[in-house]
Amino acid sequence: MSVFDPASADAPSAADLYRCVHCGLCLQSCPTYLATGLETESPRGRIHLVTALLEGRIEPTDNVFRHLDLCLACRGCETACPSGVPYGRIIETARASLRPVRRQGIGSRLLDWLIFTELLPHPGRLRALAAGLRAYQRSGLRALVQTSGLLDRLSPRLAQAERALPDIPPRFFEPRRAVFPALGERRGRVALLRGCVMPLLYGDTHAATLRVLARNGIETVVPPEQRCCGALNVHAGERAVARALARRNVDAFLAAGVEAVVVNAAGCGSTVKEYGELLRDDPAYAERAARVAAMTRDITEYLAEIGLRPGLGPLRRRVTLQESCHLVHAQRVKAAPRALLAAIPGLELVDMAHPDLCCGSAGLYSVFQPEMSLRLLDDKMADIAATGADTIVTANPGCMLQLAFGARRAGLRTRVAHVVDLLDEAYRLAERPNGRT
Ligand code: SF4
Ligand code: SF4
């Protein structure tokens, strides 16, 4: 008997699974297959497992969960697949419908509940956590914890997460107003998704986004009623809280009276673009969610679409681009970040060998699968080091965190920035009287 309920909207569908013709053309795009050489750690292998679960030929044993858990949900296999297998939907729905039958220890269940139900949906609690971590980092306790090795003995997983944590900035992104006017003639009005991690760790990138949009004639609204987009919940298969968050964001964005929702975090953007699918069985929200999804744009996609205004100063940098998985594979936005970088005078873009291969961040993957995450990160840093770049640019906070950690680990003095950070820097540079960096 199948473990999946065919009547459930959250179950993997036979139509999706049977599209796979087992050709194997996706294997070389799969980071976990490349790292292990194992069929069970490949997209084709995982599709086999989910199909066998659907057909009731196997049970969801711990081994099955291990193979599904090791998947980054990076969707590199999706862009490689000539048959159009929607792998992202398969893995997300498989995880969602297997959650209730999963046997987990009390510790894992508690952690799960804390992260997905009690923390991520609540911006005040996240802010308090970030403020507490900032105090911890500044108190000298961090140095003590790291040199004593105490945390490594207690929980190696927690110790790695602690090491990967960047310095929490002195200020969070907490705008006192909701509307940021355009400079010069107004060309449009958009809403910015604030997100959960971005305002706490990358508030400067939010500020840069607002400035770049204003310089390009765009008025931006940051609706205060919005919440976390629910991406991390969706990726983990936790869809009930994700739906509640999506409904709240749909209301906030539609009330803002904007023509686009702009997102500067690729993982969040791909989730908002899929709100229509997430809420398709909700009669009150299906149409409204599809509308918000259709008007959502990654910041790079939006700027490339409207065309940059002139006025970018020269940035003499050697830059390499890490193509965030949820931008290039999930949203299929590949050309826009490159076009924007090419518009900055003096900037040299040097491609690494595999810019579209996951860096091992993948939401909370680096916390739950630390060994594979580090393995992929070390490979990524070697690829980056070979370019001789002084700056790594990307388009997602998870990638920024992971790559900054990778640079520290590898002893590289490479800066990590968002594409929009460099655009902002170039605009501001041109405004300085002597045009110097
Ligand atoms: S997912 Fe696509 S590329 Fe991979 S084996 Fe199936 S059909 Fe082939
Ligand atoms: S989503 Fe990424 S890790 Fe998972 S099977 Fe596809 S390519 Fe491999």
Side-chain angles (χ1 to χ4, degrees), residues 26-34 41-47 67-68 70-78 87-88 91 95 325 329 357-358 365 376:
C26 53
L27 266 56
Q28 296 303 319
S29 303
C30 174
T32 56
Y33 177 77
L34 292 175
E41 310 306 350
S42 78
R44 184 172 60 186
R46 292 179 181 122
I47 289 170
H67 298 309
L68 298 182
L70 204 65
C71 172
L72 296 138
C74 68
R75 294 164 74 165
C77 48
E78 213 173 288
Y87 182 87
I91 192 75
R95 283 175 175 167
C325 299
H329 300 306
L357 211 58
C358 183
Y365 188 91
L376 300 177

Side-chain angles (χ1 to χ4, degrees), residues 8-64:
S8 164
D10 288 341
S13 80
D16 285 350
L17 287 161
Y18 295 160
R19 275 172 97 156
C20 176
V21 295
H22 317 301
C23 63
L25 289 172
C26 53
L27 266 56
Q28 296 303 319
S29 303
C30 174
T32 56
Y33 177 77
L34 292 175
T36 62
L38 296 173
E39 177 71 16
T40 42
E41 310 306 350
S42 78
R44 184 172 60 186
R46 292 179 181 122
I47 289 170
H48 257 308
L49 285 178
V50 179
T51 308
L53 286 169
L54 179 91
E55 293 171 350
R57 289 185 281 114
I58 60 168
E59 293 291 316
T61 59
D62 288 350
N63 248 340
V64 169

Side-chain angles (χ1 to χ4, degrees), residues 391-407:
T391 307
I392 310 164
V393 280
T394 187
N396 189 53
C399 314
M400 289 164 80
L401 276 174
Q402 174 88 338
L403 294 168
F405 173 49

Side-chain angles (χ1 to χ4, degrees), residues 145 147-157 159 163:
V145 166
T147 48
S148 69
L150 183 69
L151 207 52
D152 280 283
R153 283 196 290 278
L154 279 175
S155 161
R157 194 182 279 184
R163 276 192 289 273

